[in-house]
Amino acid sequence: MDALPVFVQELLEGKIDFEGQKQVEQTTKVVLTALTILSFIVGFVLQSLRVTFAVFGSGTVLLLLVVIPQWPMYNRNPVKWLPAKEKEKVKSK
Amino acid sequence: MHSTYARINNVSAFFSSCMMALLCAIALSSFIFTADPKGDLNVTSIQIFPGNARRYANKKARFHLSTFRHISGYVASSIPDSPISIQIPADLTPLFNWNTKQLFLYVQAEYTNAQGVYNEVVIWDKIIRSKEEANLTLSGRNKYVFRNLGKSWKNVGPANYTLKYNVMPYVGILTYGEAARTSDSIPFPEQRSEVA
């Protein structure tokens, strides 16, 4: 992992800021719950289990595309770090 | 959710929980479908032949085969042992819903033998995998050898023949039912002297 160039490492790590993390968590919960209910209803009405799992599976794939990669929209609110303190000079004995 | 790995972990965990909930819902949905198809079952001819199994060394035990043919509405030929294709109109389509994987049908003979023991013997079975197959007419003679565990078929009580089914779902519990039953018990005839 350390042999790769730095930007590749950062890409694989996929760090996103706190606002982005909140968005990702919300999106996942809402989409997966809604998808479960939707796929059950659609499959039940059409009386086909194949339809249920097709809807559920494709919906999940779309969700993964939106949520897993480090999209720029998840990095709009970077953490504001305080300025570095001056290092105190070590007093010699 | 701070890294790609954490996001994948969280999303897959919640996905598994949702999948389990979905499967539970599908299993529970089977209870809404209450179908109870009923039909008729007629047995037209039974013959008893001496068998050729040598189970016990000393006794000249004779085990007996019997064949049956069952129809509903058609006349069967009475030539023994000729393969007759016989139709039973059986409409089991109400049993097929989205959660039905396959239907296991079997014909059972229920009788009390000469020693007073109650027997239930499966003599024919079939697996039906789709709604289209379930509406066809079924035909048959016994698929499995029907032997009585005893010296002969004499003094064996009359038998009731039943067509039963087992609904096997994709997710959920197995359910059983009876689709048809002969209206009167049918006695076993005299043994023929040899296979014709």
Side-chain angles (χ1 to χ4, degrees):
Chain A
M1 186 75 179
D2 292 336
L4 296 167
V6 171
F7 82 95
V8 177
Q9 284 184 33
E10 286 186 352
L11 199 66
L12 288 174
E13 191 194 347
K15 196 174 353 203
I16 58 181
D17 61 46
F18 294 119
E19 275 304 310
Q21 288 177 35
K22 192 159 95 167
Q23 286 170 26
V24 162
E25 178 140 0
Q26 284 280 65
T27 310
T28 320
K29 285 195 177 145
V30 167
V31 168
L32 277 179
T33 320
L35 202 60
T36 315
I37 297 172
L38 177 75
S39 59
F40 178 79
I41 291 177
V42 171
F44 190 73
V45 164
L46 294 174
Q47 279 293 297
S48 164
L49 220 53
R50 196 171 282 199
V51 165
T52 295
F53 287 110
V55 169
F56 195 57
S58 47
T60 305
V61 167
L62 285 176
L63 174 71
L64 292 177
L65 284 175
V66 168
V67 147
I68 303 290
Q70 183 193 30
W71 298 115
M73 62 174 159
Y74 298 131
N75 269 324
R76 294 269 165 72
N77 307 68
V79 178
K80 290 192 176 54
W81 297 108
L82 293 174
K85 256 202 208 171
E86 283 280 325
K87 276 212 180 69
E88 290 180 10
K89 290 206 171 36
V90 176
K91 292 206 169 79
S92 52
K93 285 193 267 207
Chain B
M1 302 290 203
H2 52 87
S3 69
T4 311
Y5 176 77
R7 288 195 289 282
I8 294 175
N9 192 9
N10 278 10
V11 173
S12 63
F14 194 56
F15 171 80
S16 310
S17 303
C18 285
M19 177 70 95
M20 288 310 303
L22 184 61
L23 292 175
C24 264
I26 294 171
L28 289 175
S29 76
S30 273
F31 288 107
I32 296 177
F33 299 99
T34 49
D36 193 16
K38 290 285 188 217
D40 297 310
L41 177 61
N42 283 333
V43 175
T44 47
S45 79
I46 308 177
Q47 284 140 18
I48 298 197
F49 301 112
N52 52 8
R54 303 274 175 265
R55 281 184 202 228
Y56 302 109
N58 293 337
K59 285 192 209 176
K60 282 214 167 175
R62 302 288 214 83
F63 292 89
H64 300 265
L65 305 169
S66 78
T67 64
F68 81 93
R69 297 176 194 116
H70 55 282
I71 62 158
S72 166
Y74 292 82
V75 176
S77 148
S78 59
I79 303 167
D81 259 11
S82 58
I84 305 175
S85 83
I86 292 146
Q87 275 81 36
I88 298 183
D91 185 13
L92 297 162
T93 48
L95 294 171
F96 271 90
N97 54 56
W98 72 329
N99 197 17
T100 305
K101 179 172 179 211
Q102 63 193 21
L103 212 53
F104 182 69
L105 290 182
Y106 53 107
V107 172
Q108 219 178 24
E110 302 167 356
Y111 67 98
T112 311
N113 73 1
Q115 283 79 34
V117 177
Y118 177 66
N119 287 325
E120 284 181 355
V121 183
V122 173
I123 49 184
W124 179 89
D125 57 35
K126 184 178 172 70
I127 293 178
I128 297 183
R129 290 191 177 90
S130 70
K131 208 170 191 167
E132 291 71 36
E133 287 175 35
N135 209 1
L136 296 181
T137 55
L138 305 170
S139 63
R141 46 160 284 167
N142 61 321
K143 205 170 163 186
Y144 305 112
V145 167
F146 189 1
R147 293 178 192 242
N148 186 35
L149 295 175
K151 288 208 211 115
S152 70
W153 281 99
K154 263 200 273 211
N155 297 328
V156 168
N160 268 320
Y161 293 84
T162 55
L163 175 68
K164 293 184 171 157
Y165 57 82
N166 177 10
V167 181
M168 298 169 152
Y170 282 106
V171 197
I173 58 170
L174 298 173
T175 46
Y176 295 86
E178 188 179 293
R181 173 175 268 272
T182 49
S183 38
D184 313 301
S185 319
I186 296 163
F188 291 101
E190 290 296 313
Q191 178 191 328
R192 294 169 68 100
S193 52
E194 58 182 58
V195 179

